[in-house]
Amino acid sequence: MLKFYFSGAPNPTKVALFLEEVGLPYEAIPVDTRKGEQHTPEFTAINPNAKVPAIVDGDVTVFDSNAILLYLAEKTGKFLPAKTDRARGELLSWLMFVATGVGPYSGQSVHFRHYAPEKLEYAINRYAFEAQRHFGILNARLAGQKYMLGDTYTIVDMDVWGWARLIPTVLGDAAWPKFPHLKRLVDEISARPAAVTAVALKDKHKFKAEVDDDARRVMFRHIFEKVA
Ligand SMILES: N[C@@H](CCC(=O)N[C@@H](CS)C(=O)NCC(=O)O)C(=O)O
């Protein structure tokens, strides 16, 4: 059975959404990143980047939420756009846009806004600005069409949902009115039974809740190691 290494964080949750949507049987294996389980040799043999999500599907190992979504969609033939070069171009462009822009800027915005030991105005504003700019681009796209690739719900929508549903954590509680079209998509996906199950998956396991010094030591290692 497919093994799914996960936590309740945004990147694993998009993969959980796909697995639930498609109805593939899987074994959910919790990786408690606040306890440092991402750094065990067993896990870094699966994902050398020491982050969740990752999957092991028979003799195939895939890490990175975007790579996993594409792998599973191609394997099952589900939640992909039409088989045309044009649609594939759009699929890859928007998947990479989420992978290289939405995800990293949102993650850094959350870090500097909620977790950095110092409140650095410059860093908070830079990452919030870029996260907001990326969400604005998604919102503009969704102003003219139902889903990211047109009329069909695809892995790009799942990829977008993973981070966009956390916009208040990324940009603050007052941010939603800036993205009404994106909110419409997030609300629609969040109401799907697969999304409800995906979000609840973390509650079946007892993940560490506190971000204490032990958690910071394994998640924010730069605090304890001067590089430059
Ligand atoms: N590009 C990767 C990023 C993965 C990632 O940042 N995962 C976070 C959770 S959302 C994590 O494992 N954090 C623990 C750590 O950094 O130690 C993906 O999309 O899967």
Side-chain angles (χ1 to χ4, degrees):
M1 194 189 294
L2 185 147
K3 290 184 163 66
F4 170 44
Y5 295 84
F6 83 106
S7 72
N11 289 312
T13 305
K14 345 159 166 165
V15 174
L17 172 62
F18 182 95
L19 290 167
E20 290 297 331
E21 289 285 16
V22 86
L24 261 184
Y26 64 93
E27 180 190 354
I29 302 173
V31 179
D32 198 329
T33 55
R34 291 182 182 174
K35 291 185 184 159
E37 290 175 0
Q38 68 275 41
H39 299 297
T40 63
E42 293 75 26
F43 187 67
T44 54
I46 293 164
N47 183 356
N49 194 28
K51 290 182 193 293
V52 279
I55 60 165
V56 176
D57 181 23
D59 58 1
V60 179
T61 298
V62 191
F63 62 86
D64 190 290
S65 59
N66 309 278
I68 297 168
L69 286 175
L70 189 57
Y71 168 82
L72 290 175
E74 289 183 341
K75 179 182 163 127
T76 58
K78 299 275 173 60
F79 300 107
L80 288 169
K83 284 188 178 147
T84 63
D85 287 349
R86 185 182 161 158
R88 180 144 181 92
E90 291 194 359
L91 168 74
L92 293 176
S93 301
W94 288 106
L95 266 189
M96 300 304 155
F97 177 79
V98 176
T100 63
V102 174
Y105 282 114
S106 297
Q108 294 304 313
S109 185
V110 170
H111 180 81
F112 284 106
R113 186 177 279 268
H114 300 287
Y115 295 111
E118 298 161 66
K119 287 271 170 257
L120 297 171
E121 182 64 34
Y122 178 86
I124 292 170
N125 194 50
R126 167 165 169 77
Y127 289 110
F129 181 92
E130 281 299 321
Q132 175 170 283
R133 192 178 69 76
H134 281 75
F135 286 125
I137 292 168
L138 296 174
N139 188 61
R141 173 107 177 148
L142 290 165
Q145 56 193 51
K146 189 160 186 221
Y147 296 111
M148 282 302 299
L149 300 185
D151 294 335
T152 316
Y153 174 46
T154 69
I155 51 170
V156 177
D157 302 297
M158 299 181 197
D159 210 13
V160 165
W161 173 83
W163 275 105
R165 72 188 185 89
L166 298 171
I167 276 180
T169 313
V170 177
L171 295 176
D173 287 336
W176 265 133
K178 294 177 189 158
F179 314 106
H181 309 292
L182 184 53
K183 177 92 164 64
R184 187 244 318 137
L185 179 73
V186 167
D187 287 349
E188 181 189 315
I189 297 177
S190 295
R192 295 175 69 89
V196 174
T197 310
V199 170
L201 187 61
K202 65 180 184 319
D203 304 326
K204 291 192 183 156
H205 304 274
K206 203 170 164 10
F207 285 101
K208 178 172 175 171
E210 311 79 45
V211 181
D212 54 16
D213 268 350
D214 286 341
R216 277 188 277 273
R217 226 179 296 281
V218 290
M219 293 182 73
F220 310 142
R221 293 188 297 166
H222 56 278
I223 297 176
F224 305 91
E225 187 180 322
K226 197 153 173 56
V227 176

